[in-house]
Amino acid sequence: MEGRSKENDPLNLMKLAKEGDANAFGRIYELYFTPVYRYIYIRFKNKHEAEDLAQTVFLKAFAGLDNFKDLGKTPLAYFFIIARNTITDYHRKKKEVLLDGDKDSFEKIPEDGDGPLESIEKKEVSQKVRQAISLLASEQKEVISLKFLNDLSNKEIAEILDKSEDAVRQLQCRALKSLRKNFKGSEII
Amino acid sequence: MNKNSKNNLYTENKEMPEEILARVLEMQQKGTPSAEIYRSFPAYREELSDIFQVLDILAGEKEKIIPEKEILEKIVAKVKLAKNENFYNNQAVLSQRDDKEKYGFSIVQWLKGAILFPENGGALNKFAAAAIITLVALGGIFIFRGNSPVAPVPVFSLEGEVKEEITLNEKTFNEDSEELVAMGDDTALGDLDEGLNEIIKDKSLEADNGKEETVPLGISEEALGDILNGLNDLEELNEDNFRDIDTGLGDIVQS
């Protein structure tokens, strides 16, 4: 996620967006939409909820653009923090913990052009994977999502979760160990 | 996963410490080949194998979670809408700031905000603004018409009125005096003659027209001549006669 050219530098784009450059904000969308969507998606039962939440996150991000300050943190942290708070609010309002226990409630993963048998097998694996992830503790889920689904560095994750890099490393290891057990329990591996 | 391997997992005491797993992850992130990692930590070969499988599965899942372009377009459209709203709200805020700087009084800013941008305020705000404007307007109408119990009572200068009245009276008096003086220039008898002559003339004309045969007093021209002569005699006699009367009265008092 780091090491971009000047025109694609998220920090520079955020500064331009704050000054009213619509194209700059468009570029930020392109850069961050997928990671934010993945972060949300892995924690929800279905695609529509994830899409609605992603919309909310980006609208909130836009509305709060003036509040973004360059404190040395990656702008991605700004988006993930908004996403994290939005998910928390959503759960609090809905009074339900998504992805917990309800094995059959996961939406089917879209087909990707494989044969019928392969496709069914992949869908089943995907559902099991998401179910196994859902059994993790909340912070472990976040770390798995940020580190392995979004390729964020430990430093970036530390900024988002407001933890030290060592704490993030420890969380990561525990999450992987737990996931290994869950995958084994679900006969994924 | 078979039953034996499951049993091995839970009976295995050589669980990989978190520190080693952290080092494995670092090596993998740097692109170190798996074979080399296995060689570095032979005691945890089985667990390492599972962890690599978990990482592969997660990488596979990542590729499956790709948002549709339509969602992005939908969000961009909504943001554009929000941007326009934000623009107008910012304009309102800037305008209010200008007012505050210009007038230095927040009620002006508040009233302008309440009137021009009622959507920004609450129901109470709008009601308060409407009430103030109505009261001001009604007050203005009553003041203009002078019917309002709260309208200012006009101040009358009694002193001025009296002075004016006195001035007018003085003027009337002076005019009357002038007229009297002017009248005094004519002789009383001369006027009487003229007046009588006019009356006679008018009555003579009426008599000539056959409307009335006699003058109202029934006095003939000769009789009038006698009256005038009599008056002239009175004029000549007045001083002597009054002196005699005074003397006569004095005698009577003495006696």
Side-chain angles (χ1 to χ4, degrees):
Chain A
M1 283 278 166
E2 289 173 323
R4 298 171 192 275
S5 65
K6 177 84 177 171
E7 60 184 18
N8 281 337
D9 173 41
L11 208 55
N12 188 46
L13 289 170
M14 284 296 273
K15 280 178 189 169
L16 291 171
K18 267 183 89 169
E19 289 163 11
D21 189 334
N23 291 332
F25 205 73
R27 285 291 301 131
I28 293 167
Y29 268 47
E30 287 171 21
L31 289 172
Y32 292 158
F33 184 64
T34 301
V36 169
Y37 180 80
R38 278 178 185 152
Y39 175 77
I40 295 168
Y41 183 83
I42 203 70
R43 301 178 69 184
F44 280 85
K45 282 178 182 176
N46 66 62
K47 216 170 78 172
H48 298 296
E49 276 178 322
E51 286 174 3
D52 287 346
L53 262 287
Q55 281 189 47
T56 307
V57 169
F58 276 86
L59 287 169
K60 278 184 181 178
F62 175 78
L65 205 56
D66 285 340
N67 298 327
F68 175 79
K69 286 173 187 168
D70 181 11
L71 299 172
K73 288 185 178 182
T74 167
L76 186 61
Y78 169 72
F79 283 86
F80 273 115
I81 288 164
I82 292 172
R84 199 179 179 212
N85 293 337
T86 306
I87 291 168
T88 307
D89 287 347
Y90 181 87
H91 284 177
R92 199 173 51 221
K93 282 176 190 169
K94 282 270 184 180
K95 298 276 180 193
E96 64 181 43
V97 181
L98 300 175
L99 286 172
D100 284 348
D102 191 2
K103 230 176 192 179
D104 299 325
S105 64
F106 291 100
E107 194 179 65
K108 301 272 186 285
I109 301 293
E111 291 183 20
D112 54 8
D114 290 325
L117 283 173
E118 283 177 322
S119 180
I120 290 166
E121 200 179 320
K122 279 186 179 180
K123 279 178 198 169
E124 281 177 357
V125 171
S126 286
Q127 283 176 49
K128 282 181 180 178
V129 168
R130 288 175 66 195
Q131 179 65 34
I133 292 170
S134 76
L135 297 172
L136 296 174
S138 181
E139 282 190 330
Q140 290 181 357
K141 264 188 275 191
E142 280 189 306
V143 166
I144 291 290
S145 171
L146 295 169
K147 179 76 181 177
F148 302 106
L149 297 180
N150 284 305
D151 298 325
L152 265 65
S153 69
N154 289 349
K155 192 187 167 201
E156 288 172 318
I157 297 169
E159 285 169 359
I160 293 162
L161 301 181
D162 200 22
K163 290 182 182 292
S164 68
E165 284 188 59
D166 280 340
V168 169
R169 217 169 279 124
Q170 197 180 37
L171 256 177
Q172 227 168 260
C173 293
R174 285 179 189 172
L176 278 177
K177 280 177 169 281
S178 297
L179 207 53
R180 177 192 171 218
K181 282 180 188 174
N182 293 345
F183 279 4
K184 279 186 176 286
S186 304
E187 299 184 349
I188 298 167
I189 55 173
Chain B
M1 189 168 71
N2 60 43
K3 207 173 183 179
N4 291 334
S5 63
K6 196 171 186 178
N7 288 336
N8 289 341
L9 178 72
Y10 292 106
T11 53
E12 190 181 34
N13 289 324
K14 286 184 181 179
E15 198 172 320
M16 184 165 49
E18 284 173 9
E19 295 77 26
I20 292 182
L21 182 54
R23 280 184 63 191
V24 168
L25 290 173
E26 268 179 39
M27 289 169 80
Q28 206 212 22
Q29 212 168 338
K30 285 175 185 171
T32 309
S34 300
E36 197 179 321
I37 297 170
Y38 280 122
R39 274 200 299 275
S40 301
F41 308 101
Y44 309 106
R45 194 174 182 87
E46 191 180 345
E47 194 174 346
L48 277 175
S49 171
D50 288 347
I51 292 292
F52 289 146
Q53 278 187 72
V54 168
L55 293 175
D56 283 346
I57 288 165
L58 288 175
E61 286 303 306
K62 184 182 88 176
E63 298 307 317
K64 289 174 190 169
I65 308 168
I66 296 169
E68 291 165 17
K69 272 192 175 180
E70 290 79 42
I71 307 165
L72 186 61
E73 286 165 5
K74 210 170 155 184
I75 293 170
V76 169
K78 280 194 176 182
V79 165
K80 275 182 184 172
L81 195 70
K83 193 182 175 185
N84 289 338
E85 283 170 5
N86 200 31
F87 171 78
Y88 288 116
N89 288 338
N90 285 342
Q91 289 299 305
V93 169
L94 287 173
S95 172
Q96 285 176 4
R97 267 187 215 160
D98 287 348
D99 282 345
K100 198 168 186 179
E101 282 168 13
K102 203 186 288 178
Y103 303 113
F105 186 48
S106 60
I107 196 152
V108 176
Q109 174 195 345
W110 173 78
L111 262 177
K112 193 174 176 185
I115 296 161
L116 296 177
F117 308 101
E119 70 277 2
N120 293 343
L124 190 64
N125 210 21
K126 289 173 201 169
F127 176 76
I132 286 173
I133 291 161
T134 310
L135 281 174
V136 169
L138 283 174
I141 291 165
F142 277 112
I143 288 166
F144 184 72
R145 290 186 175 174
N147 294 332
S148 172
V150 291
V153 177
V155 179
F156 296 107
S157 170
L158 194 61
E159 196 181 7
E161 288 290 312
V162 171
K163 198 175 179 181
E164 193 180 359
E165 185 74 19
I166 291 167
T167 313
L168 284 168
N169 288 340
E170 279 174 355
K171 195 183 173 189
T172 311
F173 175 77
N174 291 336
E175 282 172 358
D176 289 347
S177 305
E178 283 166 13
E179 198 176 340
L180 285 170
V181 169
M183 282 169 73
D185 289 342
D186 300 328
T187 57
L189 291 175
D191 289 339
L192 187 59
D193 289 344
E194 282 176 16
L196 287 169
N197 288 337
E198 278 181 13
I199 292 166
I200 291 160
K201 194 179 174 183
D202 289 343
K203 291 301 169 187
S204 301
L205 284 170
E206 283 172 5
D208 290 344
N209 291 335
K211 286 178 184 173
E212 279 189 36
E213 291 176 358
T214 56
V215 289
L217 292 172
I219 300 170
S220 64
E221 215 171 315
E222 284 179 16
L224 278 171
D226 291 339
I227 289 166
L228 290 170
N229 290 332
L231 284 169
N232 288 333
D233 292 342
L234 273 171
E235 240 179 4
E236 288 170 5
L237 290 170
N238 61 358
E239 280 188 17
D240 293 333
N241 290 342
F242 281 121
R243 199 179 298 122
D244 291 343
I245 289 165
D246 279 348
T247 310
L249 281 169
D251 292 342
I252 290 165
V253 172
Q254 281 176 1
S255 64

